[in-house]
């Protein structure tokens, strides 16, 4: 028998047990037309989970942080650290 304190149980609800992409269990994949320019808005809707979003086969450029436009920059190691409630807009070709 495993006993949990009420504090542990409350914390379990914040983290959750399923990560989704567009409402489906992660990881998510999508195929785009050749030479298409793609803009994605990435949002972390979890209340206590830090997520690392990685990109393979493309070089993303961040163009907005938390809904505010910014000078385009490339994420370090093609990975974005997405904090709870955080948003990034990225573009890539």
């Amino acid at each position: 028998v495993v006993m949990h304190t009420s504090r542990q149980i409350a914390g379990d609800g914040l983290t959750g047990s399923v990560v989704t992409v567009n409402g489906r269990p992660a990881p998510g994949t999508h195929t785009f037309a050749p030479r298409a320019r793609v803009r994605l808005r990435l949002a972390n809707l979890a209340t206590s989970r830090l997520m690392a979003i990685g990109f393979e086969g493309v070089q993303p450029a961040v163009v907005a942080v938390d809904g505010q436009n910014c000078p385009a920059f490339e994420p370090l190691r093609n990975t974005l650290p997405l904090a709870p409630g955080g948003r990034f807009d990225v573009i890539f070709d």
Side-chain angles (χ1 to χ4, degrees):
V1 175
V2 177
M3 301 295 287
H4 295 284
T5 65
S6 60
R7 186 176 189 157
Q8 288 172 317
I9 293 169
D12 288 346
L14 296 174
T15 302
S17 60
V18 177
V19 175
T20 62
V21 175
N22 290 332
R24 295 195 170 103
T29 61
H30 192 82
T31 303
F32 299 98
R35 292 186 264 170
R37 171 147 288 180
V38 176
R39 183 173 179 144
L40 297 176
R41 173 164 288 165
L42 305 169
N44 182 352
L45 303 180
T47 59
S48 63
R49 181 179 294 195
L50 179 65
M51 297 185 189
I53 307 297
F55 297 86
E56 295 178 7
V58 296
Q59 184 60 50
V62 176
V63 294
V65 177
D66 289 336
Q68 300 298 311
N69 291 335
C70 66
F73 66 91
E74 295 177 3
L76 186 62
R77 293 186 211 84
N78 276 353
T79 302
L80 290 170
L82 198 51
R87 294 166 302 195
F88 283 109
D89 286 23
V90 297
I91 61 169
F92 53 85
D93 295 321

